């Protein structure tokens, strides 16, 4: 556990959390409400495929961003827990699958489906007293479909570009994108003595 909390990992987690908050809050209410949520920060949910510290970072970032959603503590707590569960499952997929395309598909599935199930429940619960059961059922499924569409857009559209950018930077040996177990390839040292 001592090796997990390295300075590099703590800094990277802080940057991920801050980016999530900033990329969500910059879009204001359209990041939280409407049929199509403009929330490009969800692309960061692909990061647990690379970094275990992305799990708590996304959870904290989501909770902080949801302070501004207008849905209150329900969204802060349950939206944050949905992101936390998805991040854990994405991390697990990253450890089990080696093929890049399958890794993105499997890792991205969890944020899409978990948010599509949980977030509409929060919305329906908050507005449940305003309408009957039939209207709630329709509202849930409309929000479910909307969340599947928007999460897929951000995870698979923007997130896959982020994924391959990180893979490329890791291959180039950019240290900030390397885990502690992966070291950049060093060129062979040539002996100049005759």
């Amino acid at each position: 556990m001592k090796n997990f909390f390295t300075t590099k990992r703590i800094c990277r987690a802080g940057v991920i959390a801050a980016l999530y908050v900033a990329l969500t809050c910059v879009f204001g209410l359209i990041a939280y409400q409407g049929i199509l949520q403009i929330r490009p920060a969800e692309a960061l949910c692909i990061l647990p495929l690379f970094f275990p510290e992305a799990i708590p970072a996304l959870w904290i970032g989501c909770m902080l961003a949801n302070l501004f959603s207008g849905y209150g503590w329900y969204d802060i707590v349950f939206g944050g827990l949905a992101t936390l569960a998805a991040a854990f499952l994405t991390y697990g997929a990253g450890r089990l699958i080696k093929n890049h395309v399958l890794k993105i598909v499997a890792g991205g599935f969890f944020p899409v489906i978990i948010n599509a199930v949980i977030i509409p429940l929060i919305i329906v619960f908050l507005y449940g007293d305003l309408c009957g059961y039939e209207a709630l059922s329709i509202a849930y499924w409309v929000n479910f479909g909307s969340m599947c569409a928007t999460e897929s857009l951000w995870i698979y559209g923007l997130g896959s570009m982020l994924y391959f950018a990180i893979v490329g930077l890791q291959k180039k040996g950019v240290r900030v994108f390397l885990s502690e177990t992966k070291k950049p390839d060093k060129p062979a040292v040539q002996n100049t003595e005759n």
Side-chain angles (χ1 to χ4, degrees):
M1 196 63 151
K2 176 184 167 187
N3 292 336
F4 183 79
F5 293 106
T6 64
T7 303
K8 183 178 187 178
R9 283 186 169 173
I10 292 169
C11 291
R12 193 163 36 212
V15 169
I16 292 168
L19 276 173
Y20 191 98
V21 174
L23 288 172
T24 302
C25 292
V26 74
F27 289 95
L29 288 179
I30 61 173
Y32 304 103
Q33 299 172 357
I35 290 295
L36 296 175
Q37 296 180 356
I38 309 301
R39 199 165 180 159
E42 288 298 309
L44 299 174
C45 291
I46 211 79
L47 293 178
L49 293 174
F50 297 101
F51 313 114
E53 61 272 19
I55 298 169
L58 290 168
W59 177 48
I60 291 166
C62 180
M63 287 192 304
L64 291 173
N66 287 350
L67 287 170
F68 306 101
S69 73
Y71 290 115
W73 70 270
Y74 301 107
D75 197 24
I76 297 165
V77 173
F78 295 114
L81 288 174
T83 298
L84 181 63
F88 268 114
L89 292 168
T90 298
Y91 175 76
R95 302 291 74 79
L96 295 175
I97 302 169
K98 299 305 174 201
N99 179 282
H100 291 299
V101 174
L102 291 177
K103 193 181 275 197
I104 292 170
V105 170
F109 172 77
F110 299 112
V112 170
I113 199 67
I114 290 174
N115 279 304
V117 169
I118 300 297
I119 304 307
L121 283 175
I122 295 168
I123 294 167
V124 166
F125 181 76
L126 288 174
Y127 298 109
D129 293 339
L130 302 177
C131 46
Y133 173 75
E134 188 174 307
L136 284 178
S137 177
I138 293 169
Y140 177 82
W141 290 110
V142 167
N143 280 291
F144 176 87
S146 167
M147 287 302 296
C148 280
T150 57
E151 283 289 310
S152 294
L153 170 71
W154 300 118
I155 298 288
Y156 293 119
L158 197 56
S160 61
M161 289 188 283
L162 176 62
Y163 178 90
F164 286 112
I166 292 173
V167 167
L169 291 167
Q170 285 180 334
K171 285 181 181 176
K172 288 182 181 178
V174 178
R175 290 184 182 269
V176 74
F177 294 103
L178 296 174
S179 66
E180 281 70 17
T181 58
K182 293 181 183 177
K183 301 293 180 197
D185 295 332
K186 294 182 180 180
V189 177
Q190 295 178 350
N191 189 356
T192 57
E193 296 177 18
N194 290 342

